[in-house]
């Protein structure tokens, strides 16, 4: 009854505004039939109106139903899903009631989609030109003779270089950013009224992402095309959208103006989400949102966020709140939205203890490490020819102090993970050496390392789905290092396993479960527990939070920080996310093309970015703040291999000095306490009261 | 591209050379030789020695290998120990017959396999797919000699439509093999269809659920256009190699079927030569079959290289 009433009011609202929505989702529920025979909803009673000129962001974590909703806007359902209730209205038609033939002119013509992963969404066997031509042929009145000109025009509109040549390329011959631009051009080809964007920048490097978002913002400003932008990334949404709808467990929890939602949202979940995002300007760990979202079918007549909400009481658990329209124009699904401002959206208290690092005993030192993936061919080896390829990673000299966290940052291909693999003994370097503690040489391969050396260095991988054996129980997974390194068995083994589970905040009942029965965050906790089972001195974290949702990520970051303090472990923390690295690291090393650019205390590197590449990286980071705009310092070209000589960043550097940068390897400068920069530029010029410093050797 | 071509060719040649060494060594290790087999109980004393010096068996193994291999390259496999006739002529007719059988089975089987595979992939879990998939399982799991016997029983004994065994002699012209070839051809085609069909089906299903097929749908591409332009070109690529493997199996696997149907092909000649201990013939046939195997796979690799832009241009860069 109540929901009927609401619908009526929302309808009258629309007519009073006298603007009919272009596209309207009305009380839409979508679900699937589970094996148990129940019908489980992944989208519940969603109402959403899209008007011309709107730019609506749909934000939510994985499983929130945001992608299902985006596809529902085109009348499309993934295999297995069905409409339980409601409709998508477009032009007086319920899209779900139309046949495929009737939908064909609408899809790609009047409503177009920019997909998440363009690399996989472009047909691999067709040239770019053919795929764009198909869109024109299907959705425009152009004559075949005019296609070529229009294609070139579209490709130029999305700023692709040399469109004339590009049309003859196959998708795999383009970089990720270029593929995404082609997908945008293809969506624009039919001159759509509504543009749907499904995570269009996820998986791209920060600089590429900033470029694509700037392009999208311009496109939306230049036309009155409506945009619906789906993303898990509030930072990206802040750049493009003027309205945001926050999704949780298949429901819209909050919808309103982007500034309102990103600054002072009225829903506890939205506030928790904001607080869990690591910020570039803050060295505090983000606030974790405890618990996990409910699975489809787990909640029915209650608030789906109640289990994780600090405001929840019995009313929240017995009555599902309606999406209420507030006088301010926002819509919120919470009984206590007027009290939501009690929940902080930023983390103010800085946990100072973390910064006090560390004795000055080195744990591991890398001395002029060089690593290459190139293997010269059999013929070349037989003829004794030199390999002409420049090595993937070169001249890495770093010393890790006991108890510190060293962050390694850089874009994809910068060699971050490669260095970790070498330290772990998985990929022998071709030059340089690694030293363990008091100058004990660390052998290059696992086979040569002693059991003790192996135990002391542990690695945690990005994706626990791939690093945990799906056929073993959690108990068996944890037992392996305990048996191998400590020879435990029987009761002692079990006691220790449970202890480990408790250390990573998982209960002892997890011991008999399989990885598939755990959520992403729980699996990563198991992977962390396995690493700590060996009682290591050095833990290598390879993008450990990249596959996790932001609220889960915050909890894992807290866990890592706690464990480090408890057991005085040293971390090398690799991530492409500069804000995450900032929140955890004591010192940071910036890598480009496998070469170090900058190295120093986290606060110094982030506060006074001095290497041009660090500057480019930091300026491209998206903050969940509608007023911050990324600066595009340089183009987003992807370099396949480092230059043979000179500075690795020479080709993209906005401040390049030309010949000197192209030929000479830049020297290290020490700016202040332990902050080093490798650049030919006279950095002191940019700094107050600081004279040029002598070139020094890195410790 | 050219470099790759040369590398693949070289690799193929090396493979055949290695195989020839293994075959030769295998025959060499066996107790006895062509002469002991041919002379049977009289294989002793002067007679054996004469025979051995006639056939050149008293030279070292290496020497004989090089003689054999270099002659084989020129198409001369020596003489049969049994009939004393040139192996090249003996094998020639048989090879022709086997190829005839294989080509017929392929001509009927490959298009049918592709078509049925596509149908059952596009109509996944619908009645058409269920029927096709069930029959496929039968065709794959029932051994071909059972299928062969069943077919003979039904079409030859009960219905009397086609002859059950082949009585045409090895050197008869191609036209005389019809209609006798129909049953052996069908049995061969059945197994082949089953293997290819399953690959095509799963490949079509996988491609249909790919992001780019979904994207094509959401771009408003009509269904059949999507199937023919976006799905099939990508779905059929991996089947090239499966077809090649199946063809290679076909040439080796005819042994059973030729025996069942008394078909005068290479496979039956191989069986006969083994039971007669006619080692030169066994050697020659083994070499021919493995060469065909290598060639067909090489061809498939090159074909998929040409057909797949991803592989083709990756090599160019």
């Amino acid at each position: 009854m109540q929901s009927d009433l609401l619908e009526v009011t929302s309808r009258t609202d629309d007519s009073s505004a006298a603007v009919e929505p272009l596209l309207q989702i009305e009380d839409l529920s979508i679900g699937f039939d589970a094996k148990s025979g129940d019908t489980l909803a992944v989208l519940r009673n969603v109402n959403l109106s899209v008007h011309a000129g709107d730019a609506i962001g749909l934000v939510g974590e994985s499983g929130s139903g945001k992608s299902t909703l985006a596809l529902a806007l085109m009348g499309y359902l993934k295999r297995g899903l069905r409409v339980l209730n409601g409709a998508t209205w477009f032009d007086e038609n319920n899209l779900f009631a139309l046949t495929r033939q009737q939908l064909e002119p609408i899809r790609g013509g009047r409503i177009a989609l920019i997909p998440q992963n363009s690399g996989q969404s472009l047909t691999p066997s067709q040239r770019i030109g053919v795929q764009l031509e198909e869109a024109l042929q299907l959705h425009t009145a152009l004559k075949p003779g005019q296609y070529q000109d229009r294609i070139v025009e579209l490709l130029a509109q999305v700023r692709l270089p040399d469109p004339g040549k590009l049309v003859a390329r196959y998708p795999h011959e383009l970089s990720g950013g270029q593929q995404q631009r082609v997908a945008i051009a293809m969506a624009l080809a039919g001159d759509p009224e509504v543009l749907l964007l499904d995570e269009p920048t996820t998986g791209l490097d920060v600089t590429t992402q900033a470029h694509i978002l700037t392009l999208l913002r311009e496109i939306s400003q230049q036309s009155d095309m409506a945009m619906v932008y789906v993303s898990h990334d509030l930072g990206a949404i802040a750049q493009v959208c003027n309205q945001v709808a926050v999704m949780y467990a298949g429901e819209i929890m909050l919808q309103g103006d982007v500034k309102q939602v990103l600054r002072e949202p009225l829903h506890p979940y939205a506030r928790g989400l904001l607080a869990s995002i690591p910020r570039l300007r803050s060295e505090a760990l983000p606030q974790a949102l405890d618990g996990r979202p409910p699975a489809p079918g787990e909640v029915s007549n209650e608030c789906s966020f109640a289990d994780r909400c600090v405001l929840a009481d019995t009313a929240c658990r017995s009555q599902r709140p309606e999406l209420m329209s507030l006088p301010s124009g926002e819509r919120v699904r919470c009984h206590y939205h007027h009290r939501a401002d009690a929940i902080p959206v930023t983390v103010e208290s800085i946990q100072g203890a973390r910064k006090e690092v560390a004795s000055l005993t080195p744990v591991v030192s890398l001395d002029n490490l060089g690593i290459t993936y190139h293997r010269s061919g059999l013929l070349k080896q037989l003829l004794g020819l030199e390999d002409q390829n420049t090595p993937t990673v070169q001249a890495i000299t770093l010393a890790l102090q006991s108890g510190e966290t060293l962050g390694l940052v850089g874009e994809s291909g910068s060699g971050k993970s490669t260095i970790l693999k070498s330290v772990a003994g998985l990929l022998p370097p071709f030059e340089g050496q690694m030293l363990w503690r008091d100058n004990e040489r660390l052998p290059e391969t696992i086979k040569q390392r002693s059991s003790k050396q192996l135990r002391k260095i542990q690695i945690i991988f990005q994706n626990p789905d791939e690093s945990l054996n799906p056929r073993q129980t959690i108990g068996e997974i944890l037992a392996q290092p305990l048996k191998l390194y400590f020879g435990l068995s029987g009761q002692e083994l079990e006691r220790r396993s449970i202890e480990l589970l408790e250390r990573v905040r998982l209960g002892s009942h997890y011991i008999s479960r399989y990885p598939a029965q755990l959520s992403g965050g729980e699996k990563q906790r198991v992977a962390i527990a396995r690493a700590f089972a060996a009682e290591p001195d050095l833990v290598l974290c390879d993008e450990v939070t990249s596959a996790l949702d932001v609220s889960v990520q915050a909890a894992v970051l807290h866990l890592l920080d706690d464990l480090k303090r408890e057991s005085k472990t040293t971390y090398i923390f690799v991530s492409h996310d500069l804000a995450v690295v900032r929140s955890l690291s004591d010192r940071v090393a910036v890598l480009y093309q496998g070469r170090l650019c900058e190295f120093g205390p986290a606060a110094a590197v982030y506060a006074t970015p001095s290497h041009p590449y660090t500057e480019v990286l930091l300026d491209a980071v998206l903050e969940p703040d509608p007023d911050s705009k990324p600066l595009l310092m340089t183009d987003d070209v992807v370099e396949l291999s480092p230059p043979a000589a000179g500075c690795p960043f020479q080709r993209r550097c906005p401040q390049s000095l030309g010949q000197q940068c192209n030929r000479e390897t830049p020297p290290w400068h020490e700016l202040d306490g332990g902050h080093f920069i490798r650049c030919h530029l006279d950095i002191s010029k940019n700094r107050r009261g600081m004279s040029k410093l002598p070139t020094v050797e890195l410790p | 591209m050219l470099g790759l071509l040369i590398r693949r060719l070289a690799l193929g040649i090396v493979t055949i050379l290695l195989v020839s060494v293994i075959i030769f060594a295998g025959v060499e290790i066996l107790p006895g030789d062509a002469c002991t087999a041919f002379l049977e109980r009289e294989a002793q004393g002067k007679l054996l020695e004469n025979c051995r010096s006639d056939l050149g068996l008293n030279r070292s193994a290496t020497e004989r290998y090089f003689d054999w291999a270099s002659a084989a390259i020129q198409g001369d496999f020596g003489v049969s120990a049994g009939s004393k006739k040139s192996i090249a002529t003996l094998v020639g007719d048989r090879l022709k017959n086997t190829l005839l059988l294989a080509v017929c089975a392929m001509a009927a089987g490959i298009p049918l396999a592709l078509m049925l595979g596509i149908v059952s992939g596009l109509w996944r879990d619908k009645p058409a797919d269920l029927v096709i998939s069930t029959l496929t399982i039968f065709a794959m799991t029932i051994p071909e000699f059972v299928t062969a016997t069943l077919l003979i029983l039904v079409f030859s004994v009960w219905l009397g439509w086609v002859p059950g065994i082949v009585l045409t002699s090895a050197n008869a012209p191609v036209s005389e093999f019809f209609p006798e070839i129909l049953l052996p051809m069908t049995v061969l085609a059945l197994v082949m269809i089953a293997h290819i069909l399953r690959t095509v089906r799963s490949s079509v299903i996988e491609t249909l659920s790919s992001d780019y097929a979904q994207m094509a749908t959401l771009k408003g591409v009509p269904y059949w256009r999507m199937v023919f332009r976006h799905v099939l070109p990508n779905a059929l690529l991996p089947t090239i190699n499966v077809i090649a493997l199946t063809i290679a199996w076909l040439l080796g696997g005819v042994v059973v079927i030729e025996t069942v149907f008394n078909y005068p092909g290479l496979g039956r000649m191989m069986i006969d030569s083994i039971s007669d201990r006619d080692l030169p013939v066994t050697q020659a046939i083994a070499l021919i079959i493995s060469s065909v195997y290598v060639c067909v796979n090489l061809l498939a690799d090159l074909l998929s290289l040409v057909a797949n832009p991803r592989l083709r241009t990756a090599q160019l860069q």
Side-chain angles (χ1 to χ4, degrees):
Chain A
M1 279 306 283
Q2 245 180 326
S3 84
D4 286 350
L5 269 174
L6 258 172
E7 263 172 53
V8 174
T9 50
S10 72
R11 280 222 166 148
T12 44
D13 279 356
D14 289 338
S15 58
S16 67
V19 189
E20 278 295 310
L22 270 176
L23 191 58
Q24 189 175 21
I25 289 215
E26 192 183 318
D27 200 29
L28 184 68
S29 298
I30 290 176
F32 60 93
D33 297 313
K35 277 183 189 147
S36 60
D38 299 333
T39 302
L40 306 178
V42 292
L43 218 55
R44 299 196 297 152
N45 310 96
V46 172
N47 285 288
L48 188 73
S49 301
V50 183
H51 296 85
D54 276 353
I56 303 178
L58 285 178
V59 69
E61 298 180 272
S62 52
S64 63
K66 56 186 191 304
S67 285
T68 308
L69 179 55
L71 294 177
L73 286 165
M74 295 184 104
Y76 185 85
L77 294 169
K78 291 225 170 192
R79 197 181 161 87
L81 292 178
R82 64 187 176 89
V83 175
L84 307 176
N85 183 39
T88 299
W89 296 101
F90 181 69
D91 225 16
E92 322 262 302
N93 286 316
N94 176 4
L95 293 184
F96 288 112
L98 298 182
T99 61
R100 187 177 164 125
Q101 276 89 353
Q102 289 170 314
L103 283 167
E104 274 156 14
I106 298 175
R107 289 173 174 169
R110 303 184 60 194
I111 310 176
L113 173 80
I114 299 175
Q116 170 164 7
N117 189 338
S118 298
Q120 284 162 25
S121 297
L122 296 170
T123 303
S125 60
Q126 286 187 353
R127 293 174 198 274
I128 300 301
V130 175
Q131 303 194 40
L132 284 163
E133 194 179 304
E134 186 174 50
L136 292 175
Q137 197 186 333
L138 292 169
H139 300 298
T140 64
L142 294 179
K143 295 185 187 67
Q146 299 169 300
Y147 290 158
Q148 195 58 30
D149 290 344
R150 180 70 182 132
I151 290 172
V152 169
E153 201 177 293
L154 281 167
L155 290 176
Q157 193 189 345
V158 296
R159 316 263 150 71
L160 277 165
D162 212 353
K165 274 187 190 161
L166 210 71
V167 291
R169 300 268 193 93
Y170 286 97
H172 71 273
E173 296 174 280
L174 308 182
S175 70
Q178 289 174 325
Q179 288 169 341
Q180 199 62 51
R181 282 164 201 262
V182 169
I184 295 171
M186 200 155 81
L188 296 177
D191 200 11
E193 292 156 58
V194 184
L195 193 58
L196 303 177
L197 304 102
D198 188 4
E199 304 256 14
T201 61
T202 307
L204 300 177
D205 276 326
V206 275
T207 51
T208 311
Q209 170 170 301
H211 276 269
I212 299 276
L213 288 174
T214 308
L215 174 67
L216 290 172
R217 193 171 59 235
E218 283 167 16
I219 290 170
S220 88
Q221 283 165 354
Q222 283 158 11
S223 68
D224 69 343
M225 187 168 32
M227 276 176 140
V228 178
Y229 190 111
V230 176
S231 180
H232 69 284
D233 184 352
L234 276 169
I237 280 179
Q239 306 307 314
V240 181
C241 301
N242 50 35
Q243 269 188 71
V244 185
V246 180
M247 306 268 310
Y248 184 79
E251 296 176 299
I252 290 183
M253 287 302 202
L254 174 69
Q255 189 187 354
D257 178 71
V258 65
K259 293 194 175 159
Q260 178 72 31
V261 172
L262 292 184
R263 296 234 169 88
E264 282 299 328
L266 288 174
H267 194 284
Y269 170 62
R271 298 187 80 88
L273 192 65
L274 274 179
S276 69
I277 301 172
R279 308 293 170 111
L280 207 51
R281 315 275 165 231
S282 152
E283 41 186 284
L285 280 174
Q287 188 67 46
L289 201 55
D290 288 331
R292 59 175 185 84
E298 231 178 343
V299 285
S300 54
N301 204 20
E302 63 203 89
C303 174
S304 49
F305 188 60
D307 278 350
R308 301 173 77 184
C309 183
V310 289
L311 300 180
D313 62 12
T314 48
C316 299
R317 291 178 217 281
S318 59
Q319 192 193 3
R320 182 181 167 207
E322 292 299 331
L323 192 59
M324 285 168 271
S325 293
L326 303 179
S328 60
E330 291 184 290
R331 300 193 297 158
V332 62
R333 194 187 283 278
C334 178
H335 293 305
Y336 299 115
H337 57 87
H338 49 278
R339 293 207 327 236
D341 54 7
I343 303 166
V345 288
T346 49
V347 184
E348 273 129 41
S349 62
I350 292 171
Q351 291 127 324
R354 184 161 58 83
K355 301 294 153 196
E356 289 169 10
V357 181
S359 57
L360 283 172
T361 49
V363 174
V364 73
S365 326
L366 311 182
D367 183 18
N368 194 34
L369 212 62
I371 311 159
T372 182
Y373 283 104
H374 298 291
R375 294 280 172 273
S376 47
L378 190 68
L379 196 67
K380 276 189 179 166
Q381 279 180 15
L382 286 176
L383 297 175
L385 288 178
E386 281 282 308
D387 196 10
Q388 296 298 315
N389 291 304
T390 41
T392 317
V393 168
Q394 201 170 31
I396 302 297
T397 302
L398 288 171
L400 260 93
Q401 311 299 343
S402 172
E404 81 168 334
T405 299
L406 173 73
L408 282 185
V409 293
E411 292 170 291
S412 54
S414 61
K416 318 179 286 280
S417 300
T418 307
I419 294 172
L420 280 201
K421 279 187 200 158
S422 271
V423 176
L426 297 171
L427 183 68
F430 76 95
E431 66 177 13
Q433 60 176 348
M434 295 174 273
L435 295 175
W436 183 253
R437 292 210 182 276
D438 301 321
N439 299 344
E440 168 192 344
R441 207 180 133 265
L442 195 60
E444 288 168 359
T445 62
I446 281 186
K447 274 186 189 165
Q448 298 161 347
R449 290 186 185 178
S450 68
S451 169
K452 186 175 163 234
Q453 283 169 331
L454 289 176
R455 179 175 74 77
K456 292 284 186 191
I457 302 178
Q458 293 292 314
I459 186 163
I460 308 170
F461 292 100
Q462 172 172 359
N463 193 343
D465 284 325
E466 286 165 27
S467 65
L468 299 180
N469 186 341
R471 311 238 178 276
Q472 287 185 332
T473 62
I474 305 306
E476 285 165 338
I477 289 169
L478 294 180
Q480 283 188 341
L482 295 175
K483 283 184 194 162
L484 180 67
Y485 295 124
F486 305 105
L488 297 185
S489 61
Q491 285 208 328
E492 180 62 15
L493 181 69
E494 195 180 323
R495 193 189 59 76
R496 188 80 187 99
S497 301
I498 290 171
E499 205 177 286
L500 279 165
L501 281 173
E502 277 162 2
R503 274 187 80 191
V504 296
R505 323 277 183 272
L506 294 174
S508 56
H509 55 283
Y510 280 88
I511 203 155
S512 56
R513 296 204 189 167
Y514 286 91
Q517 296 169 294
L518 272 55
S519 72
E522 288 168 336
K523 276 181 251 185
Q524 198 59 291
R525 282 166 194 271
V526 172
I528 292 169
R530 177 174 61 183
F532 276 87
E535 295 175 19
D537 286 350
L538 175 64
V539 177
L540 311 170
C541 305
D542 190 0
E543 300 268 11
V544 287
T545 63
S546 303
L548 305 177
D549 276 320
V550 63
S551 66
V552 178
Q553 162 177 290
V556 170
L557 290 176
H558 274 278
L559 174 67
L560 285 171
D561 201 47
D562 291 347
L563 287 172
K564 186 181 92 170
R565 266 185 282 175
E566 284 167 22
S567 40
K568 307 263 184 295
T569 322
T570 309
Y571 287 145
I572 302 184
F573 190 86
V574 160
S575 178
H576 69 282
D577 187 326
L578 287 116
V580 169
V581 169
R582 159 112 230 217
S583 70
L584 205 66
S585 305
D586 302 303
R587 290 198 293 170
V588 174
V590 183
L591 283 161
Y592 187 75
Q593 292 281 336
R595 279 85 178 142
L596 282 172
C597 296
E598 184 166 351
F599 176 70
V605 172
Y606 279 76
T608 53
S610 306
H611 191 284
Y613 177 60
T614 315
E615 233 166 296
V616 165
L617 263 188
L618 286 171
D619 287 336
V621 171
L622 304 170
E623 292 271 63
D625 177 354
D627 289 334
S628 83
K629 295 274 171 271
L631 296 172
L632 310 176
M633 308 274 293
T634 176
D635 50 7
D636 60 336
V637 184
V638 173
E639 298 190 57
L640 291 175
S641 64
C647 171
F649 193 51
Q650 54 180 263
R651 296 177 216 155
R652 288 174 67 193
C653 184
Q655 304 175 60
S656 169
L657 300 174
Q659 287 303 329
Q660 191 185 9
C661 295
N662 297 351
R663 285 193 188 145
E664 296 169 31
T665 306
W668 281 107
H669 299 288
E670 181 167 11
L671 294 181
D672 31 44
H675 184 193
F676 298 88
I677 285 164
R678 193 168 210 190
C679 186
H680 285 301
L681 284 172
D682 189 358
I683 283 143
S684 56
K685 269 188 193 161
N686 303 334
R687 301 166 144 261
R688 278 165 290 125
M690 199 179 282
S691 57
K692 184 159 179 172
L693 290 148
T695 303
V696 289
E697 279 299 309
L698 206 64
Chain B
M1 186 78 183
L2 191 71
L4 187 83
L5 203 91
I6 293 169
R7 220 164 46 230
R8 283 288 164 91
L9 270 174
L11 215 65
I13 291 169
V14 170
T15 314
I16 294 177
L17 278 179
L18 280 176
V19 167
S20 74
V21 172
I22 293 169
I23 292 171
F24 190 85
V27 170
E28 208 52 37
I29 291 164
L30 289 177
D33 55 29
C35 286
T36 55
F38 173 61
L39 296 170
E40 293 182 345
R41 265 180 247 167
E42 293 151 41
Q44 49 192 317
K46 196 76 180 153
L47 218 49
L48 186 63
E49 263 168 49
N50 283 347
C51 173
R52 281 191 171 151
S53 62
D54 277 357
L55 291 177
L57 292 182
N58 42 9
R59 291 170 302 149
S60 81
T62 347
E63 217 174 317
R64 278 182 290 124
Y65 169 73
F66 280 109
D67 278 355
W68 173 69
S70 56
I73 290 169
Q74 295 157 25
D76 175 15
F77 293 97
V79 288
S80 153
S83 60
K84 299 281 187 198
K85 285 183 191 156
S86 153
I87 295 178
T89 24
L90 282 176
V91 166
D93 279 334
R94 298 301 189 109
L95 185 61
K96 181 202 76 192
N97 294 341
T98 293
L99 284 179
L100 177 70
L101 184 58
V103 168
C104 287
M106 270 152 45
I110 295 176
L112 203 63
L114 291 179
M115 219 175 64
L116 291 177
I118 291 168
V119 166
S120 80
L122 292 180
W123 282 277
R124 174 189 181 185
D125 297 342
K126 297 277 160 49
D129 175 36
L130 294 180
V131 171
I132 293 173
S133 296
T134 317
L135 290 179
T136 311
I137 300 276
F138 278 114
M140 279 179 89
T141 46
I142 300 176
E144 53 260 41
F145 56 87
V146 177
T147 329
T149 320
L150 280 175
L151 287 181
I152 292 172
L153 183 70
V154 175
F155 291 100
S156 177
V157 179
W158 290 353
L159 297 170
W161 291 354
V162 281
I165 53 164
V166 183
L167 296 169
T168 315
S169 65
N171 52 7
V174 170
S175 59
E176 283 185 23
F177 281 94
F178 292 92
E180 291 173 346
I181 200 173
L182 283 177
L183 279 186
M185 173 193 121
T186 311
V187 177
L188 268 186
L190 272 182
V191 185
M192 191 173 78
I193 289 172
H195 276 102
I196 298 175
L197 190 152
R198 281 180 67 88
T199 321
V200 173
R201 177 181 181 271
S202 61
S203 180
V204 167
I205 288 173
E206 194 186 316
T207 316
L208 268 180
S209 64
S210 70
D211 286 353
Y212 53 86
Q214 182 190 317
M215 187 61 212
T217 303
L218 293 175
K219 192 175 147 190
V221 180
Y223 182 74
W224 286 107
R225 187 192 167 107
M226 178 195 80
V227 168
F228 283 106
R229 301 271 180 93
H230 294 269
V231 174
L232 292 187
N234 293 296
L236 296 184
L237 276 179
T239 57
I240 295 177
N241 283 310
V242 176
I243 291 177
L245 275 179
T246 319
I247 292 173
W249 164 84
L250 202 82
L251 292 171
V254 286
V255 175
V256 176
I257 287 165
E258 287 184 356
T259 313
V260 172
F261 287 98
N262 190 42
Y263 187 89
L266 210 55
R268 218 187 71 207
M269 191 183 191
M270 175 111 153
I271 298 282
D272 290 347
S273 73
I274 290 171
S275 54
D276 294 349
R277 296 187 55 79
D278 192 342
L279 297 179
V281 175
T282 314
Q283 256 178 359
I285 295 175
L287 189 63
I288 289 170
I289 289 178
S290 46
S291 306
V292 172
Y293 203 98
V294 170
C295 288
V296 170
N297 276 304
L298 184 71
L299 215 70
D301 280 356
L302 296 179
L303 201 64
S304 53
L305 209 67
V306 173
N308 189 343
R310 252 189 283 199
L311 292 176
R312 185 175 61 216
T313 45
Q315 298 299 337
L316 277 175
Q317 277 162 2

